[in-house]
Amino acid sequence: MSLADEFPEITKRNEPLAPYTHLRIGGPAEFLVQPRDVDELRRVLTACQTQKVPVRMLGGGNNLLVRDDPVPGAVVQLTAAAFTMIEWDGKRITAGGGGPLFDLIAFAVRQGLTGLETLVGLRGTVGGSVRCNVGDRYGEIGQGVRAVTVLTETGKVQVRTQEELNFSEHQSDIDEPVILNVVFELEKAPAAAILKRMRKAWILRKAAEPLSFQAAVRLFRNPPAQTASTLIDRAGMTKARVNNAELSERNSNYVVAHPGTTASDIIQLADRVRTRVRERTGVDLERELHVW
């Protein structure tokens, strides 16, 4: 019995993944599964394990490139209310891992809580953002995390407290397949001060990114004490292009997917840039973009 037969109400066969990603690129998933609650999610993962069906978790699709070929196995997306809830108790906010980061930031600002507003403009889900510890010199999301509830590969729900979590630049040690929810502890602040920081962060972030109407993603992590964009420019790869995939003129560490771009175009461009940077600067860039 296939997943579509066992979970017909929440499973789509051969579902194109392009509409679910920021780049709008990619082939179809053999099964796209959208569980409605934790128990159903657990049963889906158990069935996949029993049937030896590979599983991939799809968040907001913002830092993801799906190859042009079909994606075998199950792609699981957590968009139901059980995974996108937001609750508030004093200085603490509990947010579902599948909810958009922007919704969490807006909620915190409305409650007069500071600590997340400098993340405005970053795309992604709450769970994905915490797993990758998104942020910059103005602040990282991990600073406000007090607990993370995860679902393990064996289907067990566990709570990892602040003392059990480790965050570093653009990464964490959370390796469980699913983040169910995250507890944040923030501080009270005047609304005017929060909004001022939020506007400043928005302006600075957008000035360093491709234009808002362009489908674009970051390619590489910044090496210690350096920036990938500077290294790419030094290597003479400014505005490098493969077919319809082109490095952004505003920031060389972003690839812009012009209409007609394929996943193969982006992969070829990233490989070409990485090779040239290594040859010209001696630095081996680490890819930040996830490729399926």
Short mmCIF file of all heavy atoms in Angstrom, two decimals, residues 252-284:
data_model
loop_
_atom_site.label_atom_id
_atom_site.label_comp_id
_atom_site.label_asym_id
_atom_site.label_seq_id
_atom_site.Cartn_x
_atom_site.Cartn_y
_atom_site.Cartn_z
N SER A 252 27.04 39.70 -5.22
CA SER A 252 27.50 38.57 -6.03
C SER A 252 27.28 37.21 -5.39
O SER A 252 27.46 36.17 -6.05
CB SER A 252 28.99 38.72 -6.37
OG SER A 252 29.21 39.86 -7.17
N ASN A 253 26.89 37.18 -4.12
CA ASN A 253 26.64 35.90 -3.47
C ASN A 253 25.19 35.47 -3.64
O ASN A 253 24.77 34.47 -3.07
CB ASN A 253 26.98 35.98 -1.97
CG ASN A 253 27.06 34.60 -1.34
OD1 ASN A 253 27.36 33.61 -2.00
ND2 ASN A 253 26.78 34.53 -0.05
N TYR A 254 24.43 36.20 -4.41
CA TYR A 254 23.05 35.81 -4.73
C TYR A 254 22.97 35.43 -6.20
O TYR A 254 23.55 36.10 -7.06
CB TYR A 254 22.08 36.97 -4.47
CG TYR A 254 21.71 37.16 -3.03
CD1 TYR A 254 22.54 37.85 -2.16
CD2 TYR A 254 20.51 36.66 -2.52
CE1 TYR A 254 22.20 38.03 -0.83
CE2 TYR A 254 20.15 36.84 -1.19
CZ TYR A 254 21.00 37.53 -0.36
OH TYR A 254 20.66 37.71 0.96
N VAL A 255 22.23 34.37 -6.48
CA VAL A 255 21.95 34.02 -7.87
C VAL A 255 20.51 34.41 -8.16
O VAL A 255 19.60 34.14 -7.38
CB VAL A 255 22.18 32.52 -8.13
CG1 VAL A 255 21.28 31.64 -7.26
CG2 VAL A 255 21.95 32.19 -9.60
N VAL A 256 20.32 35.07 -9.29
CA VAL A 256 18.99 35.48 -9.74
C VAL A 256 18.52 34.49 -10.80
O VAL A 256 19.23 34.23 -11.77
CB VAL A 256 19.02 36.91 -10.33
CG1 VAL A 256 17.64 37.28 -10.86
CG2 VAL A 256 19.46 37.90 -9.27
N ALA A 257 17.33 33.96 -10.58
CA ALA A 257 16.75 33.02 -11.54
C ALA A 257 15.82 33.79 -12.47
O ALA A 257 14.67 34.04 -12.15
CB ALA A 257 15.99 31.91 -10.82
N HIS A 258 16.35 34.19 -13.62
CA HIS A 258 15.52 34.87 -14.61
C HIS A 258 14.53 33.87 -15.21
O HIS A 258 14.72 32.65 -15.11
CB HIS A 258 16.41 35.47 -15.71
CG HIS A 258 17.33 36.55 -15.22
ND1 HIS A 258 16.88 37.74 -14.72
CD2 HIS A 258 18.70 36.60 -15.15
CE1 HIS A 258 17.91 38.51 -14.38
NE2 HIS A 258 19.03 37.83 -14.61
N PRO A 259 13.45 34.34 -15.83
CA PRO A 259 12.48 33.42 -16.44
C PRO A 259 13.16 32.39 -17.35
O PRO A 259 14.02 32.74 -18.16
CB PRO A 259 11.57 34.36 -17.24
CG PRO A 259 11.62 35.65 -16.48
CD PRO A 259 13.03 35.76 -15.98
N GLY A 260 12.79 31.14 -17.17
CA GLY A 260 13.37 30.07 -17.98
C GLY A 260 14.56 29.39 -17.34
O GLY A 260 15.10 28.43 -17.91
N THR A 261 14.97 29.85 -16.15
CA THR A 261 16.11 29.23 -15.47
C THR A 261 15.77 27.81 -15.02
O THR A 261 14.66 27.55 -14.54
CB THR A 261 16.51 30.06 -14.24
OG1 THR A 261 16.88 31.37 -14.65
CG2 THR A 261 17.69 29.43 -13.50
N THR A 262 16.72 26.91 -15.15
CA THR A 262 16.56 25.54 -14.65
C THR A 262 17.47 25.33 -13.45
O THR A 262 18.40 26.10 -13.21
CB THR A 262 16.92 24.51 -15.73
OG1 THR A 262 18.33 24.63 -16.03
CG2 THR A 262 16.11 24.73 -17.00
N ALA A 263 17.19 24.28 -12.71
CA ALA A 263 18.04 23.95 -11.57
C ALA A 263 19.46 23.66 -12.05
O ALA A 263 20.44 24.02 -11.38
CB ALA A 263 17.47 22.74 -10.83
N SER A 264 19.59 23.02 -13.20
CA SER A 264 20.90 22.70 -13.75
C SER A 264 21.71 23.97 -14.01
O SER A 264 22.92 24.00 -13.77
CB SER A 264 20.75 21.90 -15.04
OG SER A 264 22.00 21.63 -15.62
N ASP A 265 21.04 25.03 -14.48
CA ASP A 265 21.74 26.31 -14.71
C ASP A 265 22.37 26.81 -13.42
O ASP A 265 23.53 27.25 -13.40
CB ASP A 265 20.76 27.37 -15.23
CG ASP A 265 20.21 27.04 -16.61
OD1 ASP A 265 20.85 26.26 -17.34
OD2 ASP A 265 19.14 27.58 -16.96
N ILE A 266 21.60 26.78 -12.34
CA ILE A 266 22.07 27.32 -11.06
C ILE A 266 23.20 26.46 -10.50
O ILE A 266 24.20 26.97 -9.98
CB ILE A 266 20.91 27.43 -10.06
CG1 ILE A 266 19.90 28.47 -10.56
CG2 ILE A 266 21.41 27.78 -8.66
CD1 ILE A 266 18.66 28.60 -9.71
N ILE A 267 23.06 25.15 -10.59
CA ILE A 267 24.10 24.25 -10.08
C ILE A 267 25.40 24.45 -10.85
O ILE A 267 26.49 24.53 -10.26
CB ILE A 267 23.63 22.79 -10.17
CG1 ILE A 267 22.48 22.55 -9.18
CG2 ILE A 267 24.78 21.83 -9.86
CD1 ILE A 267 21.79 21.21 -9.36
N GLN A 268 25.31 24.57 -12.17
CA GLN A 268 26.51 24.80 -12.98
C GLN A 268 27.17 26.13 -12.62
O GLN A 268 28.40 26.22 -12.52
CB GLN A 268 26.15 24.79 -14.47
CG GLN A 268 25.83 23.43 -15.04
CD GLN A 268 25.55 23.51 -16.53
OE1 GLN A 268 26.36 24.03 -17.29
NE2 GLN A 268 24.41 23.00 -16.95
N LEU A 269 26.36 27.16 -12.43
CA LEU A 269 26.90 28.47 -12.08
C LEU A 269 27.58 28.43 -10.72
O LEU A 269 28.69 28.95 -10.55
CB LEU A 269 25.79 29.52 -12.10
CG LEU A 269 26.20 30.95 -11.72
CD1 LEU A 269 27.31 31.45 -12.63
CD2 LEU A 269 24.99 31.87 -11.79
N ALA A 270 26.94 27.80 -9.74
CA ALA A 270 27.53 27.70 -8.40
C ALA A 270 28.85 26.95 -8.43
O ALA A 270 29.83 27.35 -7.79
CB ALA A 270 26.55 27.03 -7.45
N ASP A 271 28.90 25.85 -9.18
CA ASP A 271 30.14 25.06 -9.28
C ASP A 271 31.25 25.87 -9.95
O ASP A 271 32.41 25.83 -9.54
CB ASP A 271 29.88 23.77 -10.06
CG ASP A 271 29.03 22.78 -9.29
OD1 ASP A 271 28.90 22.95 -8.06
OD2 ASP A 271 28.50 21.84 -9.92
N ARG A 272 30.88 26.62 -10.99
CA ARG A 272 31.86 27.42 -11.71
C ARG A 272 32.43 28.52 -10.80
O ARG A 272 33.65 28.77 -10.79
CB ARG A 272 31.21 28.04 -12.94
CG ARG A 272 32.17 28.72 -13.90
CD ARG A 272 31.44 29.16 -15.15
NE ARG A 272 30.86 28.04 -15.89
CZ ARG A 272 30.11 28.19 -16.98
NH1 ARG A 272 29.86 29.39 -17.46
NH2 ARG A 272 29.63 27.12 -17.60
N VAL A 273 31.55 29.17 -10.04
CA VAL A 273 31.98 30.23 -9.12
C VAL A 273 32.89 29.66 -8.04
O VAL A 273 33.95 30.22 -7.73
CB VAL A 273 30.76 30.92 -8.49
CG1 VAL A 273 31.19 31.82 -7.34
CG2 VAL A 273 30.00 31.72 -9.54
N ARG A 274 32.48 28.55 -7.47
CA ARG A 274 33.28 27.95 -6.38
C ARG A 274 34.67 27.56 -6.87
O ARG A 274 35.67 27.80 -6.18
CB ARG A 274 32.54 26.72 -5.84
CG ARG A 274 33.19 26.11 -4.62
CD ARG A 274 32.40 24.93 -4.12
NE ARG A 274 32.97 24.37 -2.91
CZ ARG A 274 32.55 23.27 -2.32
NH1 ARG A 274 31.52 22.60 -2.82
NH2 ARG A 274 33.13 22.83 -1.22
N THR A 275 34.75 26.99 -8.07
CA THR A 275 36.05 26.59 -8.63
C THR A 275 36.93 27.81 -8.87
O THR A 275 38.12 27.82 -8.53
CB THR A 275 35.84 25.82 -9.95
OG1 THR A 275 35.09 24.63 -9.68
CG2 THR A 275 37.18 25.46 -10.57
N ARG A 276 36.35 28.87 -9.45
CA ARG A 276 37.14 30.06 -9.75
C ARG A 276 37.62 30.75 -8.48
O ARG A 276 38.78 31.21 -8.42
CB ARG A 276 36.31 31.02 -10.59
CG ARG A 276 37.07 32.28 -11.02
CD ARG A 276 38.16 31.96 -12.02
NE ARG A 276 37.61 31.44 -13.26
CZ ARG A 276 37.14 32.20 -14.25
NH1 ARG A 276 37.16 33.52 -14.15
NH2 ARG A 276 36.66 31.64 -15.34
N VAL A 277 36.78 30.82 -7.47
CA VAL A 277 37.18 31.44 -6.21
C VAL A 277 38.31 30.65 -5.57
O VAL A 277 39.29 31.23 -5.05
CB VAL A 277 35.98 31.56 -5.24
CG1 VAL A 277 36.45 31.95 -3.84
CG2 VAL A 277 34.98 32.58 -5.76
N ARG A 278 38.23 29.34 -5.61
CA ARG A 278 39.29 28.51 -5.04
C ARG A 278 40.61 28.72 -5.79
O ARG A 278 41.68 28.82 -5.19
CB ARG A 278 38.88 27.04 -5.06
CG ARG A 278 39.89 26.11 -4.41
CD ARG A 278 39.36 24.69 -4.25
NE ARG A 278 38.91 24.14 -5.53
CZ ARG A 278 37.67 23.80 -5.81
NH1 ARG A 278 36.72 23.97 -4.91
NH2 ARG A 278 37.36 23.29 -6.99
N GLU A 279 40.52 28.81 -7.10
CA GLU A 279 41.73 29.00 -7.91
C GLU A 279 42.36 30.37 -7.70
O GLU A 279 43.59 30.50 -7.64
CB GLU A 279 41.38 28.82 -9.40
CG GLU A 279 41.01 27.41 -9.79
CD GLU A 279 40.51 27.32 -11.23
OE1 GLU A 279 40.26 28.38 -11.84
OE2 GLU A 279 40.37 26.19 -11.72
N ARG A 280 41.53 31.40 -7.59
CA ARG A 280 42.03 32.77 -7.52
C ARG A 280 42.37 33.23 -6.11
O ARG A 280 43.25 34.09 -5.92
CB ARG A 280 41.00 33.73 -8.12
CG ARG A 280 40.73 33.51 -9.60
CD ARG A 280 41.90 33.94 -10.47
NE ARG A 280 41.66 33.72 -11.90
CZ ARG A 280 41.04 34.58 -12.69
NH1 ARG A 280 40.57 35.73 -12.20
NH2 ARG A 280 40.87 34.30 -13.97
N THR A 281 41.67 32.70 -5.08
CA THR A 281 41.86 33.20 -3.72
C THR A 281 42.32 32.13 -2.73
O THR A 281 42.74 32.46 -1.62
CB THR A 281 40.55 33.81 -3.18
OG1 THR A 281 39.60 32.76 -2.93
CG2 THR A 281 39.96 34.81 -4.17
N GLY A 282 42.23 30.87 -3.11
CA GLY A 282 42.61 29.80 -2.20
C GLY A 282 41.54 29.45 -1.19
O GLY A 282 41.74 28.58 -0.34
N VAL A 283 40.38 30.10 -1.26
CA VAL A 283 39.29 29.85 -0.32
C VAL A 283 38.28 28.90 -0.96
O VAL A 283 37.84 29.11 -2.10
CB VAL A 283 38.58 31.15 0.08
CG1 VAL A 283 37.41 30.85 1.01
CG2 VAL A 283 39.56 32.10 0.75
N ASP A 284 37.92 27.85 -0.24
CA ASP A 284 36.94 26.88 -0.72
C ASP A 284 35.59 27.23 -0.10
O ASP A 284 35.34 26.97 1.08
CB ASP A 284 37.35 25.46 -0.34
CG ASP A 284 36.56 24.41 -1.11
OD1 ASP A 284 35.75 24.78 -1.97
OD2 ASP A 284 36.74 23.21 -0.81
#
